[in-house]
Amino acid sequence: MTSELLNLLVDKALDGAAPSRAEALALLAGPEPLIDVIAAGSRVRREFFGMRVKLNTIVNMKSGLCPEDCGYCSQRLGSESEVLKYSWISPDEAARIAEDAVRAGAKRVCLVASGRGPGERDITRIENTIAAIKADNPNVEICACLGLLNEGQAQRLAAAGAHAYSHNLNTAEARYSEICTTHTFADRVDTLTRAGAAGLSPCSGAIFGMGESDEDVVDVAIALRELDPDSVPVNFLIPFEGTPLGNRWDLTPQRCLRILALFRFFFPDVEVRLAGGREIHLRSLQPLALHLANSIFLGDYLTSEGQPGIDDHQMITDAGFTVEGAHEQTLPQPRHDLVALRRRGAGTDLPANA
């Protein structure tokens, strides 16, 4: 019999309400059998996304030699990981990679580049790459992930045809400085705010397995919900040798599935994407994760290889799911009416809204 807690979480999610902190902590640490937790999360997933799985792919436009010191990243400053290191690939090469992924069923192409943030020439490169991809695949979603954005850059990406901007919060604000010292949690929030204001679909999630507590997991879920993202990638740490977190192997498949269930309850009608580290930490339980997440990355990640695409397709089919087609809508309609520029208070003659 489903527990009172799980019934409550399902009812709240179907009404668009988030779990309370106490409920979220109880889900992560509580006595409910894991299969019951997955079944409850699956009820919510099916209500909003049926049995569809959206496929996304990554094109790593520029790899390695990043000046930031994010402890989880194989491209970080001082990394001794033997990852690929190269400067910008050409728009044509990126378009060829994207074409292969689209043919394999990918609905979204994520253009990612290492670095603190793009310069003006970098934005031009991405503009040209978007044009090259859309020349043959005009309906594919393009997501950019380029680091911290400066004034006007999000507007240029949107004008070029980008659909979304991805920038993860990664972990709870209270422990962010333990993970990275070269930029702040607030810097990441600022970039997501710029992207959303420019009309880009905000994409932001987290990485788990970095030594976070249950309270940290809940804190980052709450912070993400406040940002109202349209897609939420859930990553599990890939412990690269040569990085500060290279020896952390804290996750079990059961822990990963409870975190995914928690995020489904926090984001009932939002694309919850099973992202990096799924093959390593979920292993044979990956199909169960599809009952919680409605989206996965297809193929390889930034600097690590993923499960072969043919195996992903087989897994999706064997689990009773179908690949979401380009004509099917994953996300709700944009609500640009909710984005209001401040015209009162400081710097104006009108009173503040306080």
Side-chain angles (χ1 to χ4, degrees), residues 41-116:
S42 180
R43 288 175 57 192
V44 179
R45 184 238 198 271
R46 293 196 310 273
E47 174 66 24
F48 294 102
F49 301 101
M51 298 295 284
R52 306 190 309 276
V53 177
K54 180 179 177 181
L55 302 182
N56 310 261
T57 196
I58 291 174
V59 179
N60 192 351
M61 300 291 297
K62 180 169 80 76
S63 182
L65 304 176
C66 183
E68 304 299 290
D69 70 352
C70 305
Y72 53 83
C73 185
S74 59
Q75 304 180 84
R76 72 188 297 274
L77 179 68
S79 171
E80 297 177 358
S81 299
E82 296 180 357
V83 299
L84 290 171
K85 299 178 178 66
Y86 53 83
S87 190
W88 289 89
I89 65 173
S90 70
D92 287 344
E93 182 179 354
R96 287 194 298 271
I97 296 169
E99 172 70 21
D100 290 342
V102 171
R103 288 183 181 276
K107 187 174 178 180
R108 174 177 289 193
V109 174
C110 302
L111 304 177
V112 187
S114 64
R116 180 176 178 83

Side-chain angles (χ1 to χ4, degrees), residues 275-283 286 299 301 305-307 312:
R278 63 179 167 94
E279 299 91 342
I280 294 171
H281 296 293
L282 284 163
R283 299 186 289 280
Q286 284 187 78
Y301 302 99
E305 294 184 356
Q307 184 168 286
D312 283 335

